[in-house]
Amino acid sequence: METFSDGVFAIDITLLTFQLKAPEHPDGEYSSLLLLHALAEQWPAYIAFLLSFATIFIIWVNHHRMYNVIHRSDSRFMFYNGAHLLLVSSIPFTTSLMANYINTEAMAVASFFYMMLFAGICGTLLLMWRHATKDYLLLKRPAADVRVILVRTGLLISISAYTIAALISFLVPYVSLVIGLALVIYLSRLKYHRERVV
């Protein structure tokens, strides 16, 4: 199941790169200055790509950290993991929305869906974690080794922050992107067990 999930993450990151396209040039216009100008005009695509890549990477890291403390799975856990991958697979679509509508009147709606998707992804991670740690059902480590409550709290904070960022997008869309970047840093520091190396 972990290998299958890795494949989905790899495909998503590959699809993200398709958002970066070489700018078209006017017929007969091959000036270096025009090319640099055209590349600079594509800045919304770069922002959307970098934020989405960083978020997918950190979600993948947290997915692996979770599997480092999980020994087995059951049907419910697999369905939760499937829901998680369904939402992760939607990231290229919402990234495309952000790239196309940043700096337009529709940015608020694009940002709202973008942030709500990440809230949902953290929500599925929370469902997986709560199920795996209930009565230590699926854990392979001693319970004292696993930071059950700390991780649960961290995921709840992430869900809340992404939801707030989605709502803020209707007032100040760029602030929601800053919150999204801050959450990438926050999630990168979430530890699932007490060992230093994960």
Side-chain angles (χ1 to χ4, degrees):
M1 186 165 60
E2 187 176 10
T3 302
F4 173 74
S5 301
D6 284 348
V8 173
F9 280 104
I11 290 170
D12 280 351
I13 285 178
T14 302
L15 290 175
L16 275 183
T17 62
F18 294 152
Q19 307 300 323
L20 300 177
K21 298 178 181 178
E24 297 181 3
H25 58 80
D27 292 339
E29 300 277 350
Y30 294 95
S31 163
S32 296
L33 287 176
L34 284 175
L35 175 58
L36 289 173
H37 179 70
L39 286 169
E41 284 186 332
Q42 292 189 163
W43 65 267
Y46 308 145
I47 291 176
F49 171 79
L50 290 172
L51 182 56
S52 294
F53 181 91
T55 307
I56 286 179
F57 177 73
I58 292 305
I59 290 168
W60 173 76
V61 167
N62 276 276
H63 197 263
H64 267 274
R65 286 173 176 167
M66 184 181 296
Y67 274 88
N68 280 337
V69 300
I70 291 175
H71 178 60
R72 61 183 69 84
S73 67
D74 58 15
S75 295
R76 180 177 293 186
F77 187 81
M78 286 191 285
F79 277 108
Y80 287 155
N81 191 68
H84 178 70
L85 296 179
L86 171 67
L87 295 180
V88 168
S89 299
S90 303
I91 293 175
F93 170 69
T94 56
T95 301
S96 178
L97 282 180
M98 284 299 300
N100 290 332
Y101 293 101
I102 282 182
N103 212 27
T104 70
E105 292 182 2
M107 181 181 175
V109 174
S111 181
F112 174 80
F113 283 112
Y114 190 71
M115 292 302 162
M116 284 306 296
L117 175 64
F118 291 134
I121 289 171
C122 289
T124 54
L125 278 175
L126 178 62
L127 286 174
M128 293 169 67
W129 184 246
R130 290 184 68 173
H131 179 67
T133 57
K134 183 180 179 182
D135 299 325
Y136 309 107
L137 181 67
L138 306 179
L139 298 184
K140 67 181 177 183
R141 291 177 176 273
D145 242 4
V146 181
R147 297 181 169 182
V148 175
I149 296 175
L150 183 66
V151 172
R152 186 181 304 162
T153 303
L155 291 173
L156 282 169
I157 289 171
S158 300
I159 294 167
S160 301
Y162 274 123
T163 303
I164 290 169
L167 296 174
I168 286 176
S169 66
F170 288 108
L171 300 174
V172 193
Y174 286 104
V175 172
S176 70
L177 296 182
V178 173
I179 294 173
L181 180 59
L183 283 167
V184 169
I185 298 169
Y186 175 75
L187 286 168
S188 71
R189 302 176 64 83
L190 199 59
K191 303 295 185 184
Y192 285 71
H193 59 85
R194 298 184 189 280
E195 293 180 4
R196 188 175 296 271
V197 179
V198 295

